[in-house]
């Protein structure tokens, strides 16, 4: 019976890691009953970062694993696309049909017509990234992932040269923790664990910088609610005050930065008065914040992804990270600036991804330009053939991608074959030709690494999957056999063999050692993490003047794609860069779409408890704006721009400021009044310099 109830007489505890797209990558303890079913999921107390605390949606994972609507068998679409006609088929037949469709597509248009498409529905390396091995072996179109990290990581490496920083556990040793651009209570609960510990044990102040009064703001000693996309202006004003009032650490700057004198001169006009007009903060708020961090040496700046989801996100991240450099905060334990540790792990994925046979001449297609690609935009197709066949794993692009009307139009093409490997009948699965049922994380082996902390974590198989459900690796292996590439390096290996290869660098543990210890801490030593041996630039100095066009980094597009966005107008020094979609007479409101507490992107939107807790899609509107527009809570309003318009219920609340409307999500399209979700309003325009998309960067009009 596939329901969330079970009969337990004896419970054992299995150890694994949360697989979802969250920087925390929590270490988990999972109850397993004598019946072989999981029960409660808890955070591991013995993991020093997870520290026994996880989010409620993962704690109730049994509700998702045993959901009655979970996909249990392969199915083939019958009738018109999206019309809902399905028939159950055997795995062998499903895989044969997928392989045959790929072969036919390649015969007509060449190998680049096939586009394997995936993302972060699981962060396990084996189940997520094996699709690239098939891609490279068959010379299918490349995949440039552009929806998540591009602006944030680019902003970091422009300054530091590396993707690492002070140990996140050092927040507990801080005298001030600045949580900037992440609603940690809802999306990274462990950040709050360590920040609140600092408050309890040291009397530390917690400052939250964000665009609305979210649950993390409720924990703040100081809250700064600014306009979307204006974060760099706040950062510049704080640095202006630091130089003006003697808080800048000039000895540190002379040793560790490229041009402190040039920066100081540049910032003379970036006053709190200047920033107040841009951010919507008061002069007093800016001065008070600048004085607090300027006089508190052990200030830890925890910089999130949210404020980089605008077209100027890379510039904003670089500016915010420049603040602890000016203050010399990196000198101190419990001080400095941190965004991600994704660069510290040294795992080897070359065999896993088939890197040895990747051909740089094969085109890459940008993930976020999916709608343009599927509707034949020549620029987005990089001059190559149309995409006529796709395999989709670990993502739900019919819900999460921008320019949703183009995405839907593209997927509706009769000449496009789509196979989706999924856990539930998502809106992407619903428009596919073949749908395959996928395992969940406790049903297969995998390995994880944590961007928001420092551990490599093992995720071993804990329970048996349903009889007719298969892993991502199984699908890749079986297609490789049918497509004639299964004899190439990397194919034919089990999950555990791949994990051993990933752990092959000499300073990493073996699979057996990792299985015994559950995780392995890769946090660099203090001097390296704090860049006290120099930043990871050729001269060892932080770049206040980034090389926006030349800097290498983990999110730089392949040479065949080149730089993206308005690169020629990027600022020389940290600055407020007006590349965002600003308001105008026709579009007087800025729309942002922050995450909902009980969803994770489009995941968990299928579970009853999460849906009940979130209620329905709503647009948050300030009382002043609501009064002007004649809107009351519960009214149905229409918001729109030149891309689309949607109807949505209004919620009048003082959590948001005038001129800013917010839709927490991500809700399925079908949960909205007219079957179209919030991403019909978002643009796929690439951000400079290395791509990315402004999911929180949209101007709209609002009508009752």
């Amino acid at each position: 019976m596939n329901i969330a109830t079970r009969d337990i007489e004896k419970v054992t505890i299995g150890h694994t890691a949360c697989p979802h797209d969250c920087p925390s990558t929590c270490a988990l303890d999972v109850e397993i009953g004598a019946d072989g079913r999981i029960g409660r999921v808890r955070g591991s107390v013995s993991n020093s970062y997870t520290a026994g605390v996880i989010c409620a949606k993962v704690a109730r994972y049994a509700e998702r694993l045993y959901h009655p609507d979970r996909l249990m068998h392969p199915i083939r679409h019958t009738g018109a696309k999206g019309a809902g006609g399905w028939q159950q088929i055997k795995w062998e037949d499903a895989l044969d049909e997928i392989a045959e469709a790929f072969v036919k597509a390649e015969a007509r248009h060449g190998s680049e017509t096939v586009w394997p498409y995936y993302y972060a529905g699981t962060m396990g390396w084996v189940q997520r990234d094996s699709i690239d091995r098939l891609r490279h072996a068959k010379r299918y179109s490349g995949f440039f992932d552009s929806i998540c990290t591009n602006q944030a990581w680019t902003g970091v490496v422009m300054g530091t040269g590396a993707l690492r920083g002070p140990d996140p556990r050092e927040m507990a040793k801080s005298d001030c923790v600045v949580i900037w651009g992440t609603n940690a209570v809802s999306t990274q609960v462990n950040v709050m664990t360590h920040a609140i510990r600092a408050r309890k044990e040291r009397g530390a102040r917690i400052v939250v910088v964000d665009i609305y009064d979210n649950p993390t703001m409720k924990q703040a000693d100081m809250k700064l609610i600014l306009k979307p996309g204006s974060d760099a202006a706040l950062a510049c004003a704080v640095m202006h005050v630091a130089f003006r009032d003697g808080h800048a650490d000039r000895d540190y700057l002379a040793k560790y930065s490229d041009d402190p004198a040039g920066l100081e001169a540049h910032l003379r006009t970036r006053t709190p008065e200047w920033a107040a007009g841009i951010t919507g903060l008061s002069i007093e708020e800016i001065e008070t914040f600048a004085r607090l961090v300027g006089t508190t040496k052990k200030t830890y700046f925890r910089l999130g992804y949210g404020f980089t989801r605008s077209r100027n996100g890379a510039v904003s991240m670089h500016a915010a990270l420049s603040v602890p450099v000016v203050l010399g905060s990196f000198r101190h334990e419990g001080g400095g600036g941190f965004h991600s540790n994704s660069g510290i792990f040294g795992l080897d994925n070359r065999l896993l991804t088939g890197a040895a046979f990747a051909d740089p001449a094969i085109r890459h297609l940008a993930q976020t330009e999916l709608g343009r690609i599927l509707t034949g935009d020549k620029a987005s197709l990089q001059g190559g053939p149309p995409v006529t066949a796709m395999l989709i794993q670990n993502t739900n692009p019919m819900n999460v991608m921008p320019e949703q009307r183009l995405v839907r139009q593209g997927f509706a093409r009769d000449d496009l074959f789509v196979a989706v490997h999924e856990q539930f009948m998502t809106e992407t699965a619903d428009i596919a030709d073949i749908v395959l049922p996928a395992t969940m994380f406790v049903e297969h082996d995998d390995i994880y690494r944590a961007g928001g902390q420092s551990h490599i974590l093992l995720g071993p198989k804990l329970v048996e999957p349903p009889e007719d459900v298969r892993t991502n690796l199984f699908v890749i292996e079986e297609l490789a056999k049918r497509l004639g590439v299964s004899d190439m390096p990397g194919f034919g290996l089990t999950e555990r063999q791949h994990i051993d290869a990933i752990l092959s660098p000499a300073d990493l543990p073996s699979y057996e050692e990792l299985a015994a210890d559950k995780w392995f801490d890769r946090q660099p030593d203090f001097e390296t993490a704090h860049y006290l041996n120099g930043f990871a630039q050729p001269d060892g100095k932080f770049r206040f003047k980034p090389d926006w066009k030349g800097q290498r980094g983990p999110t730089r597009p392949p040479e065949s794609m080149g730089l993206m966005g308005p690169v020629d107008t990027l600022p020389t020094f940290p600055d407020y860069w007006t590349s965002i979609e600003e308001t105008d007479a026709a579009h007087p409101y800025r729309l942002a779409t922050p995450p909902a507490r009980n969803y994770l992107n489009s995941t968990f939107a299928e579970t009853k408890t999460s849906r009940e807790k979130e209620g329905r899609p709503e647009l948050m509107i300030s009382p002043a704006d609501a009064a002007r527009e004649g809107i009351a809570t519960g009214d149905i309003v229409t918001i729109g721009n030149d891309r689309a318009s949607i109807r949505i219920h209004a919620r009048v609340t003082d959590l948001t400021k005038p001129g800013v409307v917010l839709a927490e999500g991500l809700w399925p399209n079908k949960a909205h009044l007219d079957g179209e979700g919030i991403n019909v309003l978002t643009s796929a325009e690439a951000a400079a310099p290395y791509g990315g998309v402004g999911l929180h960067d949209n101007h709209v009009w609002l009508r009752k």
Side-chain angles (χ1 to χ4, degrees), residues 346-583:
L347 300 171
D348 187 347
N349 69 348
R350 291 174 296 175
L351 184 66
L352 176 73
T353 61
F357 36 90
D359 185 348
I362 297 294
R363 71 171 175 187
H364 279 71
L365 301 176
Q367 168 193 26
T368 46
E369 294 180 21
L370 175 64
R372 302 181 185 189
I373 289 164
L374 294 185
T375 53
D377 181 81
K378 292 183 179 180
S380 295
L381 285 166
Q382 300 291 313
V387 169
T388 62
M390 299 178 71
L391 169 65
I392 299 176
Q393 291 184 320
N394 313 320
T395 188
N396 182 15
M398 277 286 291
N399 191 195
V400 304
M401 285 298 122
E403 297 180 354
Q404 275 286 302
R405 286 187 175 173
L406 286 179
V407 173
R408 180 174 292 276
Q409 180 184 338
F411 272 120
R413 282 170 35 208
D414 289 333
D415 68 332
L416 174 66
F417 174 86
V418 177
V420 172
H421 190 199
E422 252 295 356
Q423 298 161 347
F424 291 92
M425 202 63 171
T426 64
E427 285 159 312
T428 306
D430 192 54
I431 207 166
D433 297 278
I434 298 285
V435 178
L436 308 172
T439 51
M440 296 192 193
F441 77 108
V442 291
E443 299 168 340
H444 55 238
D445 292 316
D446 218 327
I447 187 171
Y448 305 86
R449 65 114 175 97
Q453 48 146 315
S454 58
H455 290 99
I456 298 169
L457 303 101
L458 189 66
K461 179 180 177 181
L462 301 179
V463 298
E464 290 298 321
E467 183 179 358
D468 212 19
V469 174
R470 300 288 185 268
T471 67
N472 287 3
L473 181 62
F474 172 86
V475 170
I476 299 305
E477 288 291 331
E478 291 300 313
L479 288 178
K481 294 174 185 176
R482 288 163 171 81
L483 293 167
V485 294
S486 60
D487 60 338
M488 297 181 74
F491 291 104
L493 304 182
T494 66
E495 283 94 343
R496 293 192 178 193
Q497 288 172 320
H498 275 297
I499 292 170
D500 266 328
I502 290 167
L503 291 168
S504 60
D507 59 341
L508 291 175
S510 66
Y511 178 93
E512 289 76 14
E513 291 169 328
L514 190 58
D517 295 335
K518 298 179 286 189
W519 51 74
F520 182 70
D521 194 346
R522 286 291 269 175
Q523 180 61 42
D525 61 72
F526 180 83
E527 287 75 16
T528 302
H530 284 253
Y531 296 101
L532 297 183
N533 298 320
F535 287 90
Q537 301 285 10
D539 60 359
K541 297 189 174 185
F542 184 90
R543 292 281 185 269
F544 290 129
K545 295 173 65 176
D547 182 2
W548 290 111
K549 296 182 180 181
Q551 175 76 46
R552 307 307 302 176
T555 56
R556 189 182 176 103
E559 293 301 322
S560 61
M561 300 187 79
L563 299 177
M564 299 181 173
V567 293
D568 292 332
T569 63
L570 283 158
T572 302
F573 284 104
D575 209 348
Y576 172 63
W577 186 40
T578 57
S579 64
I580 60 175
E581 191 167 274
E582 297 181 280
T583 58

Side-chain angles (χ1 to χ4, degrees), residues 563-694:
L563 299 177
M564 299 181 173
V567 293
D568 292 332
T569 63
L570 283 158
T572 302
F573 284 104
D575 209 348
Y576 172 63
W577 186 40
T578 57
S579 64
I580 60 175
E581 191 167 274
E582 297 181 280
T583 58
D584 55 32
H587 307 87
Y589 298 97
R590 290 269 290 164
L591 167 68
T593 55
R597 188 167 189 168
N598 291 283
Y599 300 154
L600 202 165
N601 300 321
S602 68
T603 304
F604 297 99
E606 68 282 332
T607 58
K608 183 175 182 288
T609 302
S610 288
R611 290 199 312 267
E612 288 177 347
K613 287 180 176 293
E614 293 301 328
R616 66 185 179 189
E618 291 182 330
L619 186 71
M620 300 166 65
I621 307 169
S622 76
D625 291 335
R628 183 174 56 255
E629 302 286 353
I631 294 169
T633 292
D635 286 347
I636 295 175
V637 299
T638 303
I639 54 172
N641 51 32
D642 58 353
R643 291 177 284 275
S645 64
I646 66 167
R647 296 188 306 144
I648 189 170
H649 286 92
R651 175 156 67 100
V652 180
T653 174
D654 58 6
L655 298 181
T656 186
K657 285 192 169 184
V660 178
V661 292
L662 296 151
E664 291 184 324
L666 184 66
W667 286 90
N669 299 321
K670 61 188 177 183
H672 287 261
L673 292 170
D674 299 314
E676 287 190 310
I678 202 71
N679 277 326
V680 298
L681 302 171
T682 62
S683 171
E685 178 185 348
Y690 297 165
V693 65

Side-chain angles (χ1 to χ4, degrees), residues 255-275:
K255 182 176 180 180
Y256 289 103
S257 70
D258 62 339
D259 190 1
L263 176 66
E264 182 175 8
H266 164 73
L267 292 172
R268 286 196 182 107
T269 58
R270 273 48 177 181
T271 63
E273 292 81 3
W274 166 83

Side-chain angles (χ1 to χ4, degrees), residues 259-330:
D259 190 1
L263 176 66
E264 182 175 8
H266 164 73
L267 292 172
R268 286 196 182 107
T269 58
R270 273 48 177 181
T271 63
E273 292 81 3
W274 166 83
I278 296 169
T279 62
L281 298 170
S282 69
I283 297 170
E284 181 181 0
E285 285 177 306
I286 297 170
E287 290 276 6
T288 301
F289 175 50
R291 183 167 56 252
L292 173 64
V293 298
T295 57
T296 308
K297 293 301 181 184
K298 298 179 72 169
T299 295
Y300 193 104
F301 290 80
R302 181 59 175 87
L303 306 174
Y305 283 98
F307 75 106
T308 70
R309 306 264 192 247
S310 292
R311 291 171 179 82
N312 61 4
V315 170
S316 294
M317 174 60 80
H318 175 256
L321 190 58
S322 296
V323 176
V325 178
V326 168
L327 299 174
S329 305
F330 280 96

Side-chain angles (χ1 to χ4, degrees), residues 90-413:
K90 296 180 179 179
W91 268 99
E92 292 78 6
D93 295 335
L95 292 164
D96 286 346
E97 289 187 28
I98 295 169
E100 182 180 1
F102 285 10
V103 169
K104 287 182 177 178
E106 181 177 353
R108 183 175 182 185
H109 295 288
S111 65
E112 290 180 330
T113 195
V114 182
W115 192 22
Y117 192 98
Y118 75 109
Y119 204 54
T122 177
M123 296 295 280
W125 279 38
V126 178
Q127 305 298 342
R128 183 190 65 193
D129 297 339
S130 290
I131 195 172
D132 272 335
R133 189 168 64 260
L134 180 65
R135 177 198 316 281
H136 296 323
K138 287 295 299 176
R139 300 173 61 81
Y140 294 152
S141 281
F143 183 84
F144 178 57
D145 49 348
S146 51
I147 197 170
C148 183
T149 64
N150 296 58
Q151 290 114 286
W153 288 11
T154 298
V156 172
V157 299
M158 286 294 166
T160 63
L163 204 58
R164 66 171 189 263
D167 191 332
R169 292 164 292 196
E170 286 185 29
M171 280 185 283
K173 301 177 181 181
S174 301
D175 295 324
C176 178
V177 179
V178 179
I179 301 171
W180 194 323
T182 182
N183 182 6
V185 167
S186 296
T187 63
Q188 294 185 65
V189 65
N190 312 94
V191 170
M192 302 309 301
T193 299
H194 300 284
I196 290 174
R197 181 181 169 191
R199 173 192 277 162
K200 289 180 177 179
E201 296 181 1
R202 303 178 57 82
R205 303 286 300 280
I206 297 176
V207 181
V208 177
V209 183
D210 217 313
I211 60 172
Y212 73 120
D213 196 355
N214 56 42
T216 306
M217 287 280 183
K218 308 303 182 188
Q219 299 292 330
D221 300 295
M222 180 185 298
K223 58 177 69 174
L224 299 173
I225 303 175
L226 40 66
K227 294 179 180 178
S230 66
D231 302 78
L234 173 61
C236 288
V238 170
M239 291 186 285
H240 168 95
V241 173
F243 282 113
R244 183 196 71 191
D245 294 352
H247 303 317
D249 189 333
R250 295 184 182 277
D251 290 340
Y252 176 86
L253 288 169
K255 182 176 180 180
Y256 289 103
S257 70
D258 62 339
D259 190 1
L263 176 66
E264 182 175 8
H266 164 73
L267 292 172
R268 286 196 182 107
T269 58
R270 273 48 177 181
T271 63
E273 292 81 3
W274 166 83
I278 296 169
T279 62
L281 298 170
S282 69
I283 297 170
E284 181 181 0
E285 285 177 306
I286 297 170
E287 290 276 6
T288 301
F289 175 50
R291 183 167 56 252
L292 173 64
V293 298
T295 57
T296 308
K297 293 301 181 184
K298 298 179 72 169
T299 295
Y300 193 104
F301 290 80
R302 181 59 175 87
L303 306 174
Y305 283 98
F307 75 106
T308 70
R309 306 264 192 247
S310 292
R311 291 171 179 82
N312 61 4
V315 170
S316 294
M317 174 60 80
H318 175 256
L321 190 58
S322 296
V323 176
V325 178
V326 168
L327 299 174
S329 305
F330 280 96
R331 287 185 187 266
H332 308 283
E333 186 179 31
F338 177 85
H339 169 69
S340 175
N341 257 340
S342 295
I344 70 172
F345 296 100
L347 300 171
D348 187 347
N349 69 348
R350 291 174 296 175
L351 184 66
L352 176 73
T353 61
F357 36 90
D359 185 348
I362 297 294
R363 71 171 175 187
H364 279 71
L365 301 176
Q367 168 193 26
T368 46
E369 294 180 21
L370 175 64
R372 302 181 185 189
I373 289 164
L374 294 185
T375 53
D377 181 81
K378 292 183 179 180
S380 295
L381 285 166
Q382 300 291 313
V387 169
T388 62
M390 299 178 71
L391 169 65
I392 299 176
Q393 291 184 320
N394 313 320
T395 188
N396 182 15
M398 277 286 291
N399 191 195
V400 304
M401 285 298 122
E403 297 180 354
Q404 275 286 302
R405 286 187 175 173
L406 286 179
V407 173
R408 180 174 292 276
Q409 180 184 338
F411 272 120
R413 282 170 35 208

